[in-house]
Amino acid sequence: MQSSAYGASLAGGAFDLLNFVKQPQTILRCLSWVFAIVVFATITAEGYTNTSTSETSNCMFNHDNSACSYGVGIGVLAFLACCVFLILDGYFPQISNAKERRLIVVGDLVFSGAWTFLWFVCFCVLASQWAKTPDVTAVPGDAARAVVAFSFFSTVTWGLLFYFAFTRYREGVGNLDLEYRDPANDQSTPYPAAPYSSGPTGYQQSPFPQSQEQPGEYQPPPAY
């Protein structure tokens, strides 16, 4: 039977583009990649506006520049992370070392969980600041609503990525016994254990009978 680890065969193989595209993780990462672009690109292009009373550009979300900066930062990092994990997902079946696979899966699990939380915070902050914006007619409302909506969509996609990463982590190493098995205690071996395998090492019973005289002892000659 072919050993597998974390949802893929340990034997390695060529890159299968069709199978890679059909994977749920690939689809979710592509969606998360697109959603991240929409968020940070929209904020960068239309998120800062000038008011009649101020000459400086302010964030369209209640003039809270930190909210816009937070959305841009989360979006850019999510965009870069999607690119990195897409490359790792494509290279994953060719990795034959189970420990290296575990590092990738744990990294995916931690990052997906963290970004699920951060996107949810981003959605809450932007939605709250948009609701507090005094004059929504002076800012691009469609762009603001799009940013809020795609922040929520990103929360969903990253949450699903966290679920799939956790499922793959729970699968662990399948059909691969990393622990040593003592042949004497292994019931599956076709050969029986040696009779002295469980005894003390370095000593075996002499093949000669115990009644044999000790070497070097004087024996008198027989009388005639």
Side-chain angles (χ1 to χ4, degrees), residues 43-189:
I43 295 177
T44 303
E46 304 181 45
Y48 294 90
T49 59
N50 294 326
T51 61
S52 57
T53 59
S54 177
E55 296 181 356
T56 59
S57 298
N58 295 312
C59 179
M60 60 182 173
F61 294 99
N62 195 27
H63 300 167
D64 187 358
N65 292 332
S66 61
C68 286
S69 299
Y70 181 82
V72 172
I74 295 299
V76 171
L77 292 177
F79 167 80
L80 296 176
C82 287
C83 295
V84 173
F85 281 114
L86 278 173
I87 296 174
L88 291 177
D89 286 343
Y91 186 66
F92 192 82
Q94 303 179 29
I95 301 175
S96 58
N97 193 328
K99 293 183 179 179
E100 294 180 0
R101 289 189 175 188
R102 183 178 182 274
L103 291 177
I104 296 175
V105 172
V106 170
D108 185 15
L109 178 66
V110 173
F111 191 90
S112 299
W115 248 247
T116 300
F117 173 75
L118 293 177
W119 273 122
F120 179 72
V121 172
C122 183
F123 164 73
C124 294
V125 169
L126 295 180
S128 176
Q129 293 300 325
W130 176 245
K132 297 177 182 179
T133 302
D135 187 9
V136 295
T137 59
V139 295
D142 293 338
R145 284 186 286 269
V147 171
V148 174
F150 281 97
S151 297
F152 175 76
F153 297 155
S154 296
T155 304
V156 176
T157 55
W158 281 99
L160 291 174
L161 285 172
F162 174 78
Y163 168 76
F164 282 111
F166 182 71
T167 301
R168 188 162 60 172
Y169 177 78
R170 288 188 62 184
E171 289 179 0
V173 178
N175 302 323
L176 182 65
D177 192 357
L178 298 179
E179 297 181 358
Y180 172 74
R181 289 184 178 181
D182 188 358
N185 300 326
D186 190 1
Q187 302 298 329
S188 62
T189 177

Side-chain angles (χ1 to χ4, degrees), residues 202-218:
Y203 172 78
Q204 295 182 4
Q205 185 178 4
S206 173
F208 302 100
Q210 298 293 338
S211 61
Q212 184 179 6
E213 293 81 0
Q214 297 294 330
E217 184 179 354
Y218 174 75

Side-chain angles (χ1 to χ4, degrees), residues 20-32 86 161:
F20 175 71
V21 173
K22 290 181 179 180
Q23 290 180 356
Q25 293 94 329
T26 303
I27 298 174
L28 290 172
R29 292 198 201 282
C30 291
L31 290 176
S32 300
L86 278 173
L161 285 172

